[in-house]
Amino acid sequence: MRDMFDMIIYFSAFLGAVGTITAIVMKWLNKKLAEMIEPMQVQIHKMDVKECRRTLIDFLADIEKGVKKNEVQWKFAHDVYDHYANDLKENSYVKDFWERVVINGSNE
């Protein structure tokens, strides 16, 4: 009976050690993975911002020139602008251009 309790204690200690080692290794791996992914995330963010700016500027320039846009194009432009302003947290000349053309309806 004593041997069985000793085995249970050793087994529990072994599982505790394995759990601790696993937690340490996982923490280290997560840190290394985050370090590897971070530069890619920065590049993706920059590309996303540029694509949104390009799309919005082209759309707004067409509006200024009097090019008619259908309902789907307007919805898409609003989706892109919302992503640009809210998700990407960008606030630049594009926002001023958007407000001047879409909100105020001015072509100046």
Side-chain angles (χ1 to χ4, degrees):
M1 186 82 141
R2 174 120 173 112
D3 289 339
M4 188 170 158
F5 286 125
D6 286 344
M7 283 184 64
I8 291 171
I9 291 171
Y10 290 135
F11 187 67
S12 297
F14 173 74
L15 288 178
V18 168
T20 301
I21 291 169
T22 302
I24 290 170
V25 169
M26 290 302 292
K27 186 175 180 180
W28 179 80
L29 284 174
N30 285 336
K31 182 179 175 186
K32 289 298 177 187
L33 185 60
E35 289 173 1
M36 290 170 48
I37 290 175
E38 197 266 333
M40 289 185 279
Q41 289 175 324
V42 168
Q43 280 301 108
I44 290 170
H45 179 81
K46 286 179 181 179
M47 289 170 48
D48 195 7
V49 169
K50 282 183 180 181
E51 187 62 23
C52 287
R53 281 183 183 156
R54 187 192 61 75
T55 301
L56 291 168
I57 289 170
D58 289 348
F59 178 83
L60 295 170
D62 283 350
I63 297 299
E64 277 190 323
K65 292 177 194 170
V67 176
K68 297 292 181 196
K69 300 292 182 176
N70 65 34
E71 181 181 339
V72 174
Q73 291 171 311
W74 275 98
K75 285 181 181 180
F76 179 69
H78 278 277
D79 287 345
V80 172
Y81 182 75
D82 288 343
H83 173 64
Y84 179 79
N86 300 327
D87 300 335
L88 298 176
K89 307 282 192 251
E90 292 293 320
N91 184 6
S92 66
Y93 56 89
V94 175
K95 182 179 180 194
D96 295 335
F97 195 16
W98 179 269
E99 288 175 357
R100 182 169 47 92
V101 173
V102 174
I103 296 172
N104 298 332
S106 173
N107 292 338
E108 299 171 5

